[in-house]
Amino acid sequence: INNAIYGMTGGQMAPTTLLGQKTATCPYGRDADLHGYPLNITELASHLQGTCYVTRQSVETVASIKKAKKAIRKAFEASMQGKGSSLVEIVSTCNSGWKLSPVEANKWMEENMFKQYPKGDLKDTTGM
């Protein structure tokens, strides 16, 4: 789950926190010179030889949830068939850590998170 924050531990900066995003541990916003750049683990995994399925999905709508469930199922099936490793990243909100209502959090995710972490398959060699 990528919600760009460690929300369950007080809202600290996470490896996926966006540039400029404010958290408890970077109250002025993530600065690349000070904190480094956000980690895009899904793109990294898509370049590994052993991966067969790498995708990024989200959960902001019913349609998105259905796609995410389908992706998770595909990852398990590919693994059970011995096709290789899979990674399914789920981009999600953290309305408590972001201090936003659920509606505002979904809007913020759509307007900000999907620019850095666009949805879709990054690698699929499963033939499924």
Side-chain angles (χ1 to χ4, degrees):
I1 303 293
N2 174 3
N3 61 13
I5 196 167
Y6 287 130
M8 298 216 23
T9 59
Q12 292 96 341
M13 181 178 67
T16 56
T17 297
L18 301 176
L19 291 176
Q21 184 178 356
K22 295 177 183 178
T23 73
T25 53
C26 58
Y28 301 108
R30 183 180 193 143
D31 180 309
D33 292 332
L34 183 60
H35 307 110
Y37 288 92
L39 181 61
N40 196 325
I41 193 69
T42 307
E43 287 188 8
L44 293 171
S46 72
H47 296 287
L48 299 175
Q49 288 182 342
T51 58
C52 66
Y53 181 56
V54 180
T55 189
R56 182 182 296 116
Q57 301 299 324
S58 62
V59 291
E60 80 280 8
T61 66
V62 173
S64 295
I65 292 168
K66 287 180 179 181
K67 284 183 181 180
K69 289 171 74 173
K70 186 176 179 182
I72 293 167
R73 180 179 199 76
K74 183 174 184 172
F76 276 117
E77 289 174 352
S79 178
M80 289 187 300
Q81 293 175 16
K83 295 181 182 275
S85 298
S86 296
L87 176 67
V88 179
E89 175 183 3
I90 306 293
V91 180
S92 180
T93 63
C94 184
N95 47 311
S96 63
W98 295 351
K99 297 178 179 40
L100 298 171
S101 72
V103 171
E104 292 170 325
N106 272 345
K107 183 177 179 187
W108 192 91
M109 178 178 61
E110 291 171 2
E111 292 175 352
N112 297 282
M113 295 278 294
F114 296 156
K115 291 176 188 174
Q116 178 73 31
Y117 304 109
K119 298 188 294 181
D121 293 347
L122 284 82
K123 182 178 187 178
D124 186 354
T125 62
T126 64
M128 300 167 65

